[in-house]
Amino acid sequence: QLQLVESGGGLVQPGGSLRLSCAASGFTLDTYAIGWFRQAPGKEREGVSYISSSGRTTNYADFVKGRFTISRDNAKNTVYLQMNSLKPEDTAVYYCAAPKRGTVQAIYNSYAYDYWGQGTQVTVSS
């Protein structure tokens, strides 16, 4: 069974940067697309970014475009989310997720994803 573990969260000041990692075990990650989601207290889970299994296709939610970069290193079985120019509104628990098949149609539909990590907390505050 594919297992995903997020890491790299923490406390950062507005304008700062964090690099989140999503590490896979059980299977190699190179056949899986990965979506990043986040959920703030009292709010619904929302899609943040997406990367295809090959890394050829990436996508970003409008509220992170120009600030976040998704990438993957399949040799290390890891997907990354580089977060720059962080805002207090980015405060949330961040999750990575993978579908059973390599791609999904609605990339920010949580129900399209079968495997989820435990989440990592990102707090942006002065």
Side-chain angles (χ1 to χ4, degrees):
Q1 183 178 359
L2 179 66
Q3 292 180 300
L4 301 173
V5 178
E6 303 94 336
S7 62
L11 176 64
V12 65
Q13 292 184 328
S17 298
L18 286 172
R19 186 180 181 90
L20 305 184
S21 297
C22 174
S25 63
F27 295 90
T28 56
L29 202 56
D30 60 359
T31 63
Y32 295 92
I34 293 291
W36 281 98
F37 295 79
R38 70 186 188 186
Q39 188 165 24
K43 295 185 177 180
E44 295 182 354
R45 185 171 295 183
E46 60 184 355
V48 175
S49 189
Y50 168 90
I51 189 166
S52 63
S53 59
S54 68
R56 182 176 179 180
T57 300
T58 59
N59 189 274
Y60 302 92
D62 185 65
F63 51 82
V64 304
K65 284 182 178 178
R67 301 189 296 122
F68 291 11
T69 303
I70 191 169
S71 63
R72 66 192 303 153
D73 187 341
N74 286 337
K76 295 182 178 180
N77 235 20
T78 303
V79 171
Y80 303 98
L81 185 67
Q82 178 68 45
M83 306 186 297
N84 299 325
S85 302
L86 283 162
K87 305 175 181 179
E89 306 94 277
D90 296 318
T91 296
V93 177
Y94 283 71
Y95 302 88
C96 64
K100 287 184 177 179
R101 286 182 163 82
T103 59
V104 297
Q105 289 291 106
I107 59 175
Y108 298 132
N109 179 1
S110 296
Y111 295 104
Y113 294 83
D114 302 286
Y115 307 103
W116 292 81
Q118 85 290 346
T120 186
Q121 176 71 48
V122 171
T123 302
V124 185
S125 177
S126 60

